[in-house]
Amino acid sequence: MKLSGVGASEGVAVGPAFVPRTGGPEPERTSIDEGEVEAELRRFRDAVEVVVGRISETADGLRESGNEDEAGIFDFHAEMAEDPELDSAVDERVKNLESPEAAVLAAGEEYAAEFAAMEDEYLSARADDVRDVTRQIAAELMGQAASGFEALHRPSVVLAKSLAPSDTARIQRGMALAFVTAEGSRTSHVSIMARSMGIPAVVGVGDALSGALDAETVAVNGTEGSAITDPDRETVARFEEMSQALAEERAALDQYRYKEARTSDGRRIEVAANLGSASEAEGALEWGAEGVGLFRTEFLFMERDDLPSEDEQYDVYSSVARAFGEKPVIIRTLDVGGDKNLPGIDQIHEDNPFLGWRGIRMSLDTPDLFKSQLRAILRAATHGNLKVMFPMVVEVGELRAAKQILDEARGELEGEGVKVGEVETGVMIETPAAAVCAAELAAESAFFSIGTNDLVQYTLAADRGNERLRRLQDADHPAVLALIRQTCEAAEEANIPVGVCGEAAGEPHMIAQLINLGVTELSMSAPSIPRAKKVISER
Ligand code: PEP
Ligand code: MG
């Protein structure tokens, strides 16, 4: 069966299919009879043994392939599954006639809550691991595949209706070979994540996906935007050839990695990377990133069930700052809402989340959270060249309010005798309102970065994730280009630099146009950097 959609991240891959179940397993029965206690306890212990065996196998496989750190995570999962405390909690519940599946889920929740409340950051972040493990045991007891991504233990092609950033953030490195989703477009977050993970993705295949969910193997062509379920031998051989050709093409682009990109008339264009986590920093430098044009901080908040503390944020921001040294790193303040929800913040249901409480709107309404992020950035700025950027701005008042909180944060830190670094402040131009008010914003900003993903969706009134609106998801539209032009003119007038950090920055057909309009920096998923440098130098 062939699925067609949008080629959202290039490359090809063939591998076993993995379909994550949404939500945790629901116990089929919650209670048992008195006469069943002993047998049910035996069943529980057998399930633990099976799960531990499976986890240890994964750990061994990872260790053999040299992934010691990841193997360590699975060792921890195995220990957790066999923990005597968990065993006695389940024992007690089953003796009180709870079914073992209900008992292990409930005990897992209690145990996870204990971890979450721990002072030690590392231990508190283990709450999710506890849940993963107890869900696996419950699923085993019910004869189901474990739920969600905790069951993704071998490199696979992930098939899903949609993948939220919090889903992709949970995938262990190396376990996703490719993504195929029913929903989404080139600028939805699953596509952005796939590109920065360097794996192929086909999104927006629509309802056809439901017919593919029982496939054993899937061949994905992220360049073309298609996928083939249970491919025959010839197809697999063809995909192998394509993969080889792609590797050769990448090798030919290698010479551009560390070159400074200059147009033929001598204009220097800075080419930077968009990052979603500190762990991507080294890889981005290897792709030739000359800085970070957009560090999306929301992933740091979404990977977990509680909010990261100021110190945790400081560690992350300073590690990126250190990795890039003198090269500029633009940290974007929290941008949740839209397709990015935040565990830990009460988000009310919104009929139109993309037109809702997101970006700077939420930050200004939650000043304590906002200030803790700004304090972390100011402290981390002592380790490198950090800049701060505000998302979803629509008027200069928001910029002023944000800068005031930044000033307060700086004042507080200085009062506490804490060292802070200098940070320039800039604005994302990703709403038509910001582009139209660019002159006013430029007067109070040190730089602009145009977020074409949102600028396109808001200008063309076309949801960035709706697969039916493909023709309206391209920055190459006269209205969008007019707003970019207006932004560049305002920036030039105020003598501030203007970058593009939306996906258009890495698209060969957009690069020359953006440069012609006056853009001086392009920021993109790191694997796109060498090709962008080539396109610039051929202009
Ligand atoms: C954008 O809107 O273009 C952008 C870069 O931000 P995000 O994709 O994170 O919304
Ligand atoms: Mg945006």
Side-chain angles (χ1 to χ4, degrees):
M1 173 178 185
K2 183 165 177 174
L3 302 168
S4 296
V6 179
S9 179
E10 65 175 32
V12 292
V14 180
F18 176 81
V19 181
R21 274 198 334 161
T22 45
E26 284 290 322
E28 286 149 3
R29 344 163 269 168
T30 49
S31 59
I32 55 170
D33 294 333
E34 234 174 296
E36 295 175 310
V37 169
E38 284 313 313
E40 290 297 337
L41 278 173
R42 258 196 313 278
R43 238 165 46 77
F44 165 68
R45 284 167 192 140
D46 288 348
V48 169
E49 209 177 304
V50 171
V51 169
V52 169
R54 206 182 291 138
I55 297 174
S56 309
E57 231 172 75
T58 310
D60 292 346
L62 285 165
R63 203 158 268 128
E64 272 163 32
S65 53
N67 295 314
E68 188 55 46
D69 285 356
E70 277 148 42
I73 297 174
F74 288 99
D75 291 342
F76 180 76
H77 281 197
E79 265 173 47
M80 194 67 75
E82 293 178 305
D83 192 288
E85 232 182 276
L86 178 68
D87 184 86
S88 64
V90 172
D91 190 276
E92 196 183 320
R93 283 174 175 272
V94 172
K95 284 180 178 152
N96 284 325
L97 305 185
E98 264 182 59
S99 73
E101 48 269 35
V104 73
L105 286 171
E109 279 309 315
E110 279 175 9
Y111 215 9
E114 272 174 38
F115 269 93
M118 285 183 189
E119 280 283 317
D120 183 290
E121 283 161 16
Y122 176 81
L123 288 175
S124 94
R126 302 280 68 79
D128 275 348
D129 296 277
V130 175
R131 277 193 198 97
D132 283 358
V133 169
T134 49
R135 284 178 183 177
Q136 286 182 66
I137 300 170
E140 180 60 35
L141 279 162
M142 291 186 278
Q144 297 174 353
S147 69
F149 288 99
E150 63 272 17
L152 179 51
H153 287 162
R154 60 175 175 163
S156 306
V157 173
V158 177
L159 305 176
K161 180 163 179 266
S162 65
L163 289 170
S166 50
D167 294 326
T168 49
R170 292 185 91 96
I171 297 175
Q172 302 281 343
R173 200 151 39 91
M175 291 298 144
L177 293 174
F179 295 141
V180 180
T181 63
E183 297 173 356
S185 71
R186 264 191 74 76
T187 58
S188 15
H189 283 87
V190 55
S191 310
I192 295 171
M193 286 302 287
R195 287 195 287 275
S196 45
M197 291 160 86
I199 61 169
V202 179
V203 303
V205 301
D207 290 342
L209 186 80
S210 51
L213 296 180
D214 51 8
E216 283 193 3
T217 309
V218 185
V220 182
N221 183 339
T223 312
E224 186 188 89
S226 63
I228 296 168
T229 57
D230 294 322
D232 55 24
R233 268 222 221 127
E234 279 160 37
T235 310
V236 173
R238 195 157 45 82
F239 270 69
E240 273 162 12
E241 271 169 35
M242 285 192 283
S243 165
Q244 179 68 23
L246 212 87
E248 281 164 19
E249 191 195 330
R250 287 210 167 134
L253 284 172
D254 251 8
Q255 53 168 314
Y256 292 95
R257 278 191 192 213
Y258 304 116
K259 270 196 186 146
E260 289 197 341
R262 239 172 246 287
T263 60
S264 51
D265 58 1
R267 275 177 63 201
R268 167 92 172 92
I269 306 292
E270 207 176 287
V271 184
N274 291 347
L275 303 189
S277 72
S279 63
E280 294 167 37
E282 290 304 329
L285 284 162
E286 278 167 28
W287 282 110
E290 295 164 348
V292 176
L294 168 64
F295 184 86
R296 289 185 166 95
T297 56
E298 51 276 8
F299 294 111
L300 165 64
F301 288 70
M302 287 182 310
E303 285 168 344
R304 42 193 292 151
D305 292 329
D306 56 351
L307 296 169
S309 65
E310 178 187 319
D311 284 346
E312 283 172 272
Q313 293 187 64
Y314 163 77
D315 287 344
V316 172
Y317 307 149
S318 30
S319 106
V320 185
R322 273 196 213 99
F324 278 82
E326 299 199 336
K327 297 185 170 93
V329 173
I330 301 178
I331 308 276
R332 177 176 73 183
T333 59
L334 190 54
D335 182 17
V336 288
D339 65 347
K340 300 174 272 192
N341 279 330
L342 187 63
I345 285 278
D346 257 353
Q347 220 120 7
I348 52 162
H349 169 78
E350 294 180 310
D351 284 339
N352 290 301
F354 272 121
L355 304 180
W357 196 57
R358 62 173 292 202
I360 195 70
R361 302 168 182 185
M362 194 195 103
S363 290
L364 292 176
D365 286 347
T366 51
D368 290 344
L369 178 64
F370 190 33
K371 202 183 268 177
S372 81
Q373 180 167 41
L374 296 172
R375 284 173 58 106
I377 296 171
L378 286 165
R379 287 169 53 198
T382 53
H383 301 292
N385 181 5
L386 291 192
K387 299 169 194 259
V388 64
M389 173 160 83
F390 305 118
M392 284 297 292
V393 168
V394 294
E395 55 168 6
V396 73
E398 290 167 334
L399 171 61
R400 286 185 191 144
K403 283 170 77 171
Q404 194 188 328
I405 298 179
L406 180 68
D407 283 344
E408 283 170 22
R410 186 182 291 109
E412 278 178 17
L413 287 166
E414 283 168 354
E416 292 161 21
V418 178
K419 255 175 76 183
V420 295
E422 277 306 311
V423 293
E424 287 185 347
T425 51
V427 168
M428 274 196 88
I429 305 292
E430 55 181 343
T431 63
V436 172
C437 298
E440 241 184 313
L441 291 167
E444 302 185 32
S445 309
F447 62 90
F448 278 163
S449 185
I450 303 175
T452 47
N453 307 338
D454 279 317
L455 187 60
V456 171
Q457 91 161 338
Y458 295 128
T459 306
L460 305 184
D463 183 336
R464 63 194 266 182
N466 186 330
E467 74 273 10
R468 292 193 185 164
L469 303 179
R470 251 170 247 167
R471 73 179 175 85
L472 298 175
Q473 285 157 351
D474 197 328
D476 191 6
H477 182 289
V480 177
L481 296 174
L483 291 172
I484 297 177
R485 179 188 303 279
Q486 190 169 348
T487 304
C488 290
E489 283 170 1
E492 193 180 354
E493 186 69 24
N495 201 20
I496 61 168
V498 52
V500 173
C501 62
E503 294 305 304
E507 290 171 355
H509 77 287
M510 286 304 300
I511 289 176
Q513 297 198 72
L514 295 172
I515 295 173
N516 287 344
L517 290 169
V519 167
T520 54
E521 182 235 32
L522 297 169
S523 190
M524 60 199 68
S525 53
S528 307
I529 290 175
R531 184 182 312 121
K533 289 187 175 179
K534 176 171 189 272
V535 174
I536 296 165
S537 42
E538 284 171 352
R539 176 185 164 269

